[in-house]
Amino acid sequence: MDALKVLIARRAPAEVVHKLSAHFVVDYHDGAEPLSPDDLRARLQGKVGVYVTGTERITAELLATCPELKVVCTMSVGYNHIDLDACTARGVLVTNTPDVLTESTADFGFALLMATARRMSEGERLLRDGGWKSWAWDFLAGAEVHGSTLGILGMGRIGQAIARRGRFGFGMKVIYHNRSRLAAEAEAELGARYVAKDELLRQADHLVLVLPYSAQSHHCIAAPELALMKPTATLVNVARGGIVDEEALAAALREHRIAAAGLDVFEGEPRVNPVLLTLPNVVLTPHIASATLPTRQAMAHLAADNLLAALTGGMPPTPLNPQVLSA
Ligand code: 8YV
């Protein structure tokens, strides 16, 4: 039997490329930039499986032009770049990489909260620019973190890991809102209280967004939501840029209707809304919340293990639409 053909659509660790090459005929895109949609379509012809990252969009239109494709494995926990329903309808298995990135992403979310609340980037910029001339009682005075109220919108695995850091590391009061409420034992273990979204916005001193991006969550933090927040509040987004209306956020930050924001994700990234770049009270990072080498390696191996299992008759470890396996 001829070896199966797969595409690795984005640069991956060498061991992962070797692992897949031992089983399949691998077409490897090792360029620094993502493939264009046209190049992705062309390179997918004749392939039964593909390893992608968050930058490759798998749409219904693309699937229609790739009838041989059976498995899409993304090296990401988020899968808003993949039309899951269209994949399921065509019997295409989709897998993602949950769990392995939870703790690193929560570490980063908390770091971004701290940097934002305590004005670290602003302080470093001022120092590097020679602006540190003297001391004043309120020089770069920020918001308190310990003992304050941590609000979490989206209480999945990463939200819960951030809640633990806040509750047990910093003695914070934790409130959250989520599509579904956690079980009473989980709430008790985290010391977290479920509240309505409006109450979350009103009460949080630091609001962290960790919900999945979808048509329902698009711009779910916009002018009306920002208007409910405290003028002293910090907003942190480590989920997806499209969750926040960036124009409304920029206006709220400029007019000090909220104190500060820490953003790791942007609508239309890697482009960043130019207004945000001009504001001192926002910490901007280039979508690196999961970026530790061990975590990125674990994500890449998990994506490859999913591809391997799916195409060699095994059980993929983390399928998103397992129903296609039994169909
Ligand atoms: C990745 C992420 O950096 O896993 C996700 O959903 O957003 C990040 O961890 C990126 O999407 C890798 O594909």
Side-chain angles (χ1 to χ4, degrees), residues 10 52-56 74-81 96-98 101 105 158 238-240 264-265 269 286-291 295-296 299:
R10 205 67 209 271
V52 295
T53 67
T55 44
E56 287 71 47
T74 183
M75 180 230 180
S76 61
V77 67
Y79 52 90
N80 53 291
H81 53 296
N96 68 340
T97 58
L101 81 181
T105 305
I158 298 171
V238 286
R240 285 293 181 266
D264 185 50
V265 285
E269 63 188 45
H287 200 152
I288 52 172
S290 68
T295 292
R296 287 287 171 80
M299 292 166 71

Short mmCIF file of all heavy atoms in Angstrom, two decimals, residues 10 52-56 74-81 96-98 101 105 158 238-240 264-265 269 286-291 295-296 299, ligand 1:
data_model
loop_
_atom_site.label_atom_id
_atom_site.label_comp_id
_atom_site.label_asym_id
_atom_site.label_seq_id
_atom_site.Cartn_x
_atom_site.Cartn_y
_atom_site.Cartn_z
N ARG A 10 2.91 24.30 9.01
CA ARG A 10 3.63 25.37 9.72
C ARG A 10 4.87 24.79 10.35
O ARG A 10 4.90 23.61 10.70
CB ARG A 10 2.69 25.95 10.80
CG ARG A 10 2.98 27.37 11.22
CD ARG A 10 2.70 28.34 10.10
NE ARG A 10 3.56 29.51 10.20
CZ ARG A 10 3.29 30.61 10.88
NH1 ARG A 10 2.14 30.72 11.50
NH2 ARG A 10 4.14 31.61 10.92
N VAL A 52 -1.87 21.77 11.49
CA VAL A 52 -1.96 23.23 11.34
C VAL A 52 -1.73 23.90 12.69
O VAL A 52 -1.65 23.23 13.73
CB VAL A 52 -3.35 23.68 10.79
CG1 VAL A 52 -3.58 23.19 9.38
CG2 VAL A 52 -4.48 23.26 11.72
N THR A 53 -1.65 25.23 12.65
CA THR A 53 -1.62 26.02 13.87
C THR A 53 -2.77 27.03 13.78
O THR A 53 -3.56 26.97 12.83
CB THR A 53 -0.28 26.77 14.01
OG1 THR A 53 -0.22 27.75 12.96
CG2 THR A 53 0.91 25.81 13.90
N GLY A 54 -2.79 27.97 14.70
CA GLY A 54 -3.89 28.94 14.72
C GLY A 54 -3.92 29.86 13.51
O GLY A 54 -4.90 30.59 13.31
N THR A 55 -2.89 29.83 12.68
CA THR A 55 -2.85 30.78 11.56
C THR A 55 -3.42 30.21 10.25
O THR A 55 -3.58 30.96 9.29
CB THR A 55 -1.41 31.27 11.30
OG1 THR A 55 -0.53 30.15 11.36
CG2 THR A 55 -1.00 32.30 12.33
N GLU A 56 -3.71 28.91 10.21
CA GLU A 56 -4.25 28.33 8.97
C GLU A 56 -5.76 28.18 9.13
O GLU A 56 -6.21 27.51 10.06
CB GLU A 56 -3.62 26.95 8.69
CG GLU A 56 -2.18 27.03 8.23
CD GLU A 56 -1.21 27.44 9.32
OE1 GLU A 56 -1.28 26.88 10.43
OE2 GLU A 56 -0.40 28.34 9.07
N THR A 74 -4.82 20.54 14.92
CA THR A 74 -4.27 21.86 15.19
C THR A 74 -3.43 21.86 16.46
O THR A 74 -3.80 21.25 17.47
CB THR A 74 -5.36 22.95 15.25
OG1 THR A 74 -4.72 24.22 15.43
CG2 THR A 74 -6.38 22.74 16.36
N MET A 75 -2.30 22.54 16.35
CA MET A 75 -1.40 22.69 17.51
C MET A 75 -1.86 23.93 18.27
O MET A 75 -1.19 24.95 18.32
CB MET A 75 0.03 22.86 17.00
CG MET A 75 1.08 23.03 18.06
SD MET A 75 2.06 24.46 17.65
CE MET A 75 3.24 24.52 18.96
N SER A 76 -3.04 23.86 18.82
CA SER A 76 -3.61 24.97 19.60
C SER A 76 -4.80 24.41 20.35
O SER A 76 -5.38 23.40 19.93
CB SER A 76 -4.08 26.10 18.67
OG SER A 76 -5.09 25.64 17.78
N VAL A 77 -5.12 25.07 21.46
CA VAL A 77 -6.34 24.64 22.14
C VAL A 77 -7.55 25.31 21.49
O VAL A 77 -8.61 24.69 21.34
CB VAL A 77 -6.27 24.91 23.67
CG1 VAL A 77 -6.25 26.39 24.01
CG2 VAL A 77 -7.42 24.23 24.38
N GLY A 78 -7.39 26.56 21.06
CA GLY A 78 -8.48 27.28 20.39
C GLY A 78 -8.64 26.72 18.97
O GLY A 78 -7.66 26.33 18.34
N TYR A 79 -9.88 26.67 18.50
CA TYR A 79 -10.09 26.11 17.15
C TYR A 79 -11.08 26.95 16.35
O TYR A 79 -11.75 26.46 15.44
CB TYR A 79 -10.51 24.64 17.24
CG TYR A 79 -11.68 24.37 18.15
CD1 TYR A 79 -12.98 24.39 17.67
CD2 TYR A 79 -11.48 24.10 19.50
CE1 TYR A 79 -14.05 24.16 18.50
CE2 TYR A 79 -12.55 23.86 20.34
CZ TYR A 79 -13.82 23.89 19.85
OH TYR A 79 -14.88 23.67 20.68
N ASN A 80 -11.11 28.24 16.66
CA ASN A 80 -12.01 29.14 15.93
C ASN A 80 -11.54 29.35 14.48
O ASN A 80 -12.29 29.90 13.68
CB ASN A 80 -12.12 30.48 16.66
CG ASN A 80 -10.78 31.09 16.93
OD1 ASN A 80 -10.01 30.58 17.75
ND2 ASN A 80 -10.46 32.16 16.23
N HIS A 81 -10.34 28.91 14.15
CA HIS A 81 -9.85 29.01 12.77
C HIS A 81 -10.30 27.81 11.92
O HIS A 81 -9.97 27.74 10.75
CB HIS A 81 -8.31 29.13 12.74
CG HIS A 81 -7.61 28.04 13.51
ND1 HIS A 81 -7.74 27.88 14.87
CD2 HIS A 81 -6.80 27.03 13.10
CE1 HIS A 81 -7.01 26.85 15.27
NE2 HIS A 81 -6.44 26.31 14.22
N ASN A 96 -7.41 19.03 18.78
CA ASN A 96 -6.70 20.24 19.27
C ASN A 96 -5.72 19.81 20.37
O ASN A 96 -5.48 18.61 20.54
CB ASN A 96 -7.70 21.30 19.74
CG ASN A 96 -8.46 20.89 20.99
OD1 ASN A 96 -8.54 19.71 21.33
ND2 ASN A 96 -9.03 21.85 21.68
N THR A 97 -5.15 20.77 21.09
CA THR A 97 -4.14 20.42 22.11
C THR A 97 -4.48 21.03 23.47
O THR A 97 -3.81 21.95 23.94
CB THR A 97 -2.73 20.88 21.66
OG1 THR A 97 -2.75 22.31 21.45
CG2 THR A 97 -2.28 20.19 20.40
N PRO A 98 -5.53 20.53 24.12
CA PRO A 98 -5.87 21.04 25.45
C PRO A 98 -4.90 20.53 26.52
O PRO A 98 -4.04 19.69 26.23
CB PRO A 98 -7.27 20.47 25.68
CG PRO A 98 -7.28 19.20 24.89
CD PRO A 98 -6.42 19.44 23.69
N LEU A 101 -1.13 23.05 27.72
CA LEU A 101 -0.76 24.46 27.78
C LEU A 101 -1.44 25.22 28.92
O LEU A 101 -1.20 26.42 29.11
CB LEU A 101 -1.03 25.16 26.43
CG LEU A 101 -2.46 25.62 26.12
CD1 LEU A 101 -2.51 26.24 24.75
CD2 LEU A 101 -3.48 24.57 26.30
N THR A 105 -0.13 28.95 30.21
CA THR A 105 -0.99 30.05 29.76
C THR A 105 -1.54 30.81 30.97
O THR A 105 -1.62 32.04 30.96
CB THR A 105 -2.12 29.50 28.86
OG1 THR A 105 -1.52 28.77 27.79
CG2 THR A 105 -2.98 30.60 28.29
N ILE A 158 -8.20 26.87 31.69
CA ILE A 158 -7.24 27.97 31.91
C ILE A 158 -7.81 28.97 32.92
O ILE A 158 -7.10 29.46 33.80
CB ILE A 158 -6.86 28.65 30.57
CG1 ILE A 158 -6.19 27.62 29.64
CG2 ILE A 158 -5.94 29.84 30.80
CD1 ILE A 158 -5.96 28.10 28.22
N VAL A 238 -6.31 37.08 27.28
CA VAL A 238 -5.40 36.05 26.78
C VAL A 238 -6.17 35.02 25.95
O VAL A 238 -5.68 33.92 25.73
CB VAL A 238 -4.61 35.33 27.92
CG1 VAL A 238 -3.54 36.22 28.50
CG2 VAL A 238 -5.55 34.81 29.01
N ALA A 239 -7.37 35.40 25.49
CA ALA A 239 -8.21 34.44 24.77
C ALA A 239 -8.09 34.66 23.26
O ALA A 239 -7.23 34.05 22.60
CB ALA A 239 -9.64 34.56 25.25
N ARG A 240 -8.92 35.54 22.70
CA ARG A 240 -8.85 35.89 21.29
C ARG A 240 -9.21 37.37 21.15
O ARG A 240 -10.09 37.87 21.87
CB ARG A 240 -9.84 35.06 20.46
CG ARG A 240 -9.43 33.60 20.23
CD ARG A 240 -8.19 33.46 19.33
NE ARG A 240 -7.81 32.08 19.09
CZ ARG A 240 -6.91 31.39 19.80
NH1 ARG A 240 -6.29 31.98 20.82
NH2 ARG A 240 -6.61 30.14 19.48
N ASP A 264 -2.80 40.17 25.02
CA ASP A 264 -1.88 39.25 24.35
C ASP A 264 -2.42 38.86 22.97
O ASP A 264 -1.73 38.21 22.20
CB ASP A 264 -1.68 37.99 25.21
CG ASP A 264 -0.64 37.05 24.62
OD1 ASP A 264 0.47 37.53 24.29
OD2 ASP A 264 -0.92 35.84 24.48
N VAL A 265 -3.66 39.23 22.71
CA VAL A 265 -4.33 38.81 21.47
C VAL A 265 -5.07 40.01 20.87
O VAL A 265 -5.54 40.88 21.60
CB VAL A 265 -5.32 37.66 21.77
CG1 VAL A 265 -4.59 36.35 22.01
CG2 VAL A 265 -6.22 37.99 22.96
N GLU A 269 -4.67 40.14 14.29
CA GLU A 269 -3.24 40.01 14.54
C GLU A 269 -2.55 39.26 13.38
O GLU A 269 -3.20 38.46 12.72
CB GLU A 269 -3.00 39.27 15.87
CG GLU A 269 -3.53 37.85 15.90
CD GLU A 269 -3.44 37.23 17.31
OE1 GLU A 269 -3.79 37.89 18.30
OE2 GLU A 269 -2.99 36.07 17.37
N PRO A 286 2.80 39.89 22.00
CA PRO A 286 2.45 39.28 20.70
C PRO A 286 1.98 37.82 20.77
O PRO A 286 2.64 36.94 20.23
CB PRO A 286 3.75 39.42 19.91
CG PRO A 286 4.82 39.35 20.95
CD PRO A 286 4.26 39.94 22.20
N HIS A 287 0.85 37.58 21.39
CA HIS A 287 0.21 36.26 21.45
C HIS A 287 1.22 35.18 21.88
O HIS A 287 1.49 34.23 21.13
CB HIS A 287 -0.42 35.90 20.09
CG HIS A 287 -1.47 34.82 20.21
ND1 HIS A 287 -2.53 34.70 19.34
CD2 HIS A 287 -1.61 33.80 21.09
CE1 HIS A 287 -3.27 33.66 19.68
NE2 HIS A 287 -2.72 33.09 20.75
N ILE A 288 1.73 35.35 23.10
CA ILE A 288 2.77 34.43 23.59
C ILE A 288 2.37 33.74 24.90
O ILE A 288 3.24 33.21 25.60
CB ILE A 288 4.13 35.16 23.77
CG1 ILE A 288 3.98 36.43 24.62
CG2 ILE A 288 4.76 35.46 22.42
CD1 ILE A 288 5.30 37.10 25.01
N ALA A 289 1.09 33.73 25.22
CA ALA A 289 0.70 33.19 26.53
C ALA A 289 1.11 31.72 26.71
O ALA A 289 1.44 31.31 27.82
CB ALA A 289 -0.80 33.35 26.75
N SER A 290 1.14 30.94 25.65
CA SER A 290 1.54 29.52 25.80
C SER A 290 3.02 29.32 25.48
O SER A 290 3.49 28.17 25.45
CB SER A 290 0.70 28.63 24.88
OG SER A 290 1.02 28.88 23.52
N ALA A 291 3.74 30.42 25.25
CA ALA A 291 5.09 30.29 24.70
C ALA A 291 6.18 30.03 25.74
O ALA A 291 6.95 30.91 26.08
CB ALA A 291 5.44 31.52 23.85
N THR A 295 6.20 23.76 26.79
CA THR A 295 4.77 23.74 26.45
C THR A 295 4.57 23.67 24.95
O THR A 295 3.76 22.88 24.45
CB THR A 295 4.05 24.95 27.06
OG1 THR A 295 4.05 24.78 28.47
CG2 THR A 295 2.63 25.08 26.58
N ARG A 296 5.32 24.50 24.21
CA ARG A 296 5.15 24.46 22.75
C ARG A 296 5.55 23.10 22.19
O ARG A 296 4.94 22.58 21.25
CB ARG A 296 5.95 25.59 22.10
CG ARG A 296 5.32 26.97 22.32
CD ARG A 296 4.07 27.15 21.47
NE ARG A 296 3.32 28.34 21.77
CZ ARG A 296 3.61 29.57 21.34
NH1 ARG A 296 4.68 29.76 20.59
NH2 ARG A 296 2.85 30.58 21.65
N MET A 299 2.71 20.74 22.93
CA MET A 299 1.59 21.00 22.02
C MET A 299 1.86 20.37 20.64
O MET A 299 0.99 19.73 20.05
CB MET A 299 1.35 22.50 21.86
CG MET A 299 0.83 23.19 23.11
SD MET A 299 0.97 25.00 22.98
CE MET A 299 -0.30 25.37 21.77
C1 8YV B 1 -0.98 29.35 20.28
C2 8YV B 1 -3.33 29.64 21.29
O1 8YV B 1 0.10 30.20 20.37
O2 8YV B 1 -3.53 27.32 21.73
C3 8YV B 1 -4.09 28.36 21.40
O3 8YV B 1 -5.32 28.39 21.16
O4 8YV B 1 -3.89 30.65 21.10
C4 8YV B 1 -1.85 29.66 21.43
O5 8YV B 1 -1.44 28.81 22.43
C5 8YV B 1 -1.37 29.37 18.87
O6 8YV B 1 -2.68 29.46 18.54
C6 8YV B 1 -0.67 28.19 18.23
O7 8YV B 1 -1.31 27.65 17.18
#
